[in-house]
Amino acid sequence: MGRSASGLKQHRLSLPARHEDIEKLEPGSIVFLDGIVYTAREGVYQKILGDGEKLPVDDLASLSNVNFHCSPAAAPDDRGGYNIGGVTATASFRFSKWMAEWLDLTGTKIVIGKGGMPREDYEKVLAPRGAIYLTTVGYGTGALLGRGVKAVEAVHWLDELGIAQAMWMFRVENFGPFIVDSDLTGASLFATHGDVVNQKIAALYEGLSPPALHRYGETDDRKREVM
């Protein structure tokens, strides 16, 4: 463990990640990864958990226990492999309904994406399974993260699911930076700061006139907002 130029705690993990290394990670610290990271999102989840197909990798957890929710920018090279120009994270909350079963099946311990998970997932899905969530740092970092992808070890269901939805196995080195969103207690950076924002957001609505046109999503009732 070290510290970044900004003073944040910084960790570099070898994969598959060990429990003793994961339990040292605190929300707000920075992580870089070395080893194999795999991608899986709704196309893979549906195929395996919904349609009952087998995992294409025997004993996935012994090879990788890190699931990156992303869309890679991949192009064939002249050696029969692929060049990865960037890896752009996608919003993880959309995959909440699959997470518990997926973690149980695969032994995944680190989930990477953007935007975080529903609050209850940290406490009831991730933490009880010894898993945490990492988030990408801001927008436009796909090319930066792509520098950490050193090789494509394999890709599954590419023709059937397409580039974004296929299951990619990336060999990575100094892959990051990622921010630790949640820890093994179920504490979440997103959830904590969301509470702070929500305490004051109601004040933004005080004194506003009712919506004039009543278009879809135009309301002053926060429970009915289209976000």
Side-chain angles (χ1 to χ4, degrees):
M1 183 184 75
R3 288 190 178 272
S4 67
S6 61
L8 296 173
K9 291 182 180 179
Q10 186 168 296
H11 304 261
R12 189 165 175 176
L13 303 187
S14 295
L15 306 179
R18 302 181 304 170
H19 178 80
E20 53 265 39
D21 292 329
I22 294 174
E23 66 181 353
K24 296 176 184 176
L25 303 181
E26 302 172 356
S29 56
I30 305 297
V31 173
F32 292 84
L33 305 173
D34 299 305
I36 303 293
V37 170
Y38 75 88
T39 73
R41 44 187 294 188
E42 65 266 41
V44 173
Y45 297 151
Q46 177 60 41
K47 180 172 284 294
I48 294 174
L49 301 179
D51 302 338
E53 294 204 24
K54 288 186 176 182
L55 278 168
V57 181
D58 292 332
D59 194 12
L60 177 61
S62 67
L63 182 65
S64 174
N65 57 4
V66 179
N67 179 183
F68 189 13
H69 294 153
C70 86
S71 298
D77 61 23
D78 56 6
R79 302 180 302 278
Y82 298 90
N83 291 318
I84 303 299
V87 282
T88 302
T90 193
S92 297
F93 69 86
R94 297 180 295 138
F95 314 133
S96 174
K97 68 179 182 179
W98 283 293
M99 279 296 95
E101 191 175 357
W102 184 258
L103 298 183
D104 289 341
L105 175 68
T106 62
T108 293
K109 300 302 180 184
I110 296 177
V111 178
I112 306 173
K114 72 176 182 183
M117 302 293 293
R119 176 192 289 275
E120 59 271 18
D121 284 10
Y122 299 117
E123 300 174 355
K124 298 180 180 180
V125 176
L126 294 173
R129 293 167 172 81
I132 64 166
Y133 186 86
L134 306 182
T135 182
T136 51
V137 181
Y139 288 91
T141 57
L144 172 64
L145 294 175
R147 298 174 189 174
V149 179
K150 300 305 179 182
V152 175
E153 296 288 312
V155 58
H156 306 282
W157 300 310
L158 178 60
D159 291 340
E160 184 176 350
L161 296 178
I163 291 175
Q165 297 284 347
M167 186 173 184
W168 295 85
M169 311 292 294
F170 296 137
R171 180 166 295 280
V172 301
E173 182 180 330
N174 204 28
F175 188 46
F178 301 105
I179 297 176
V180 179
D181 171 35
S182 74
D183 62 17
L184 292 182
T185 71
S188 160
L189 199 65
F190 279 119
T192 299
H193 286 273
D195 288 342
V196 173
V197 172
N198 288 336
Q199 288 174 1
K200 299 181 179 181
I201 199 170
L204 296 175
Y205 291 82
E206 292 180 0
L208 292 179
S209 300
L213 300 178
H214 296 284
R215 294 172 298 188
Y216 180 67
E218 188 175 59
T219 175
D220 54 9
D221 182 350
R222 290 185 56 224
K223 293 181 180 179
R224 300 182 61 190
E225 284 181 320
V226 177
M227 302 296 288

